Amino acid sequence: MTATIARQIHAYYDDTYLTDASATVVAAGTDEEGPWAAVSPNIFHPKGGGQPSDEGTLDGAPIVPARADGLVVLHGAPAPEVGASVQCHVDQGLRRRHAALHTAGHVLGHLGEARGWTHSGHSHFPGQARLDFDPAGHEEELATPELRESVRAELQAQMDAVLARGGQVSASVDGSGHRTVTIEGVNAEPCGGTHVRSLADLTGVRILEVKVKRGAIKVRYEAEHAGPGASPGADPGAEAEAPQGGAA
């Protein structure tokens, strides 16, 4: 890794909807994936916390963001020199889809925990979004298909009520760099992902299925961002990740 000339600022922490920005290359090098660059301010969210990575470009060349040595690095484009000015672009539709799924996942996690379920994993990937909970002590309420369908319907009604009530979604970072996402009237939990500004930005939130499989209650769901910009896509190899304080 080349010398880093400045601390990397993650602009996506503060503004999900910032998808075009000028930035400075603060580090660059080559690894087993090829050339890479780290820029600041960084608008690219890397894969992590159950959320897929953004897709976008660096000076017009497609890139894939990833975490490495405390930085978010961009692979796929010829690495510019450290100190160079570059133009960054994130696929807006995909960003909004990921944000909608992540926020809806936080709400669903809250609803599951309100039932006494213990959150054990999550995936916010499009087409594969689900939350996992520990089934211990809840076997009877989920013992038959009819009971599981009843629980699914209850969760849907509760989700609809939360969304009808609405609430702002905000994020803050403390002095140690730990970020907390707060959904008004729902909860606050550690999270490094992208989120919508308000629950009013969510649409098409559906609880698809509740089942018990491989030692976990698995609740599948879907969600879209209201208005233009939704984009399909999924990682067929995505697995639920262990929670880092809720459905982060």
Side-chain angles (χ1 to χ4, degrees):
M1 178 179 289
T2 61
T4 302
I5 64 170
R7 182 173 67 92
Q8 188 178 47
I9 297 170
H10 297 304
Y12 69 85
Y13 274 2
D14 299 317
D15 189 356
T16 290
Y17 300 89
L18 177 63
T19 53
D20 287 280
S22 298
T24 300
V25 178
V26 296
T30 302
D31 59 18
E32 63 275 8
E33 301 292 330
W36 60 265
V39 304
S40 186
N42 168 51
I43 64 172
F44 299 98
H45 179 277
K47 179 180 176 180
Q51 181 175 326
S53 63
D54 284 329
E55 296 179 7
T57 60
L58 183 69
D59 280 346
I63 55 84
V64 177
R67 299 182 191 276
D69 296 329
L71 295 171
V72 173
V73 302
L74 311 175
H75 289 102
E81 294 184 359
V82 173
S85 295
V86 291
Q87 294 298 314
C88 305
H89 169 74
V90 169
D91 183 306
Q92 182 188 74
L94 200 60
R95 163 65 68 81
R96 291 186 176 201
R97 178 81 183 281
H98 293 169
L101 285 165
H102 206 148
T103 302
H106 276 220
V107 176
L108 179 56
H110 166 73
L111 295 176
E113 290 173 350
R115 300 183 68 90
W117 297 352
T118 300
H119 179 207
S120 61
H122 48 260
S123 171
H124 306 303
F125 279 66
Q128 299 181 354
R130 72 178 190 272
L131 265 71
D132 295 351
F133 301 90
D134 185 346
H138 302 281
E139 293 85 356
E140 290 189 7
E141 70 177 292
L142 300 166
T144 68
E146 293 77 15
L147 287 171
R148 293 192 290 274
E149 170 56 24
S150 177
V151 169
R152 186 209 64 78
E154 289 175 9
L155 288 171
Q156 183 69 66
Q158 291 163 351
M159 175 68 76
D160 292 345
V162 170
L163 299 183
R165 185 173 67 242
Q168 296 301 304
V169 182
S170 60
S172 60
V173 180
D174 67 19
S176 300
H178 299 121
R179 183 170 179 258
T180 299
V181 170
T182 300
I183 303 176
E184 183 183 1
V186 177
N187 65 1
E189 57 187 88
C191 183
T194 59
H195 289 270
V196 300
R197 292 190 183 110
S198 164
L199 293 180
D201 291 323
L202 297 180
T203 190
V205 182
R206 296 175 57 219
I207 312 302
L208 301 175
E209 181 183 36
V210 176
K211 63 182 179 181
V212 180
K213 183 177 180 182
R214 297 175 183 172
I217 302 169
K218 296 181 181 292
V219 184
R220 294 177 52 241
Y221 73 99
E222 64 182 9
E224 295 281 355
H225 195 289
S231 175
D235 180 343
E239 292 294 332
E241 300 195 13
Q244 300 176 357

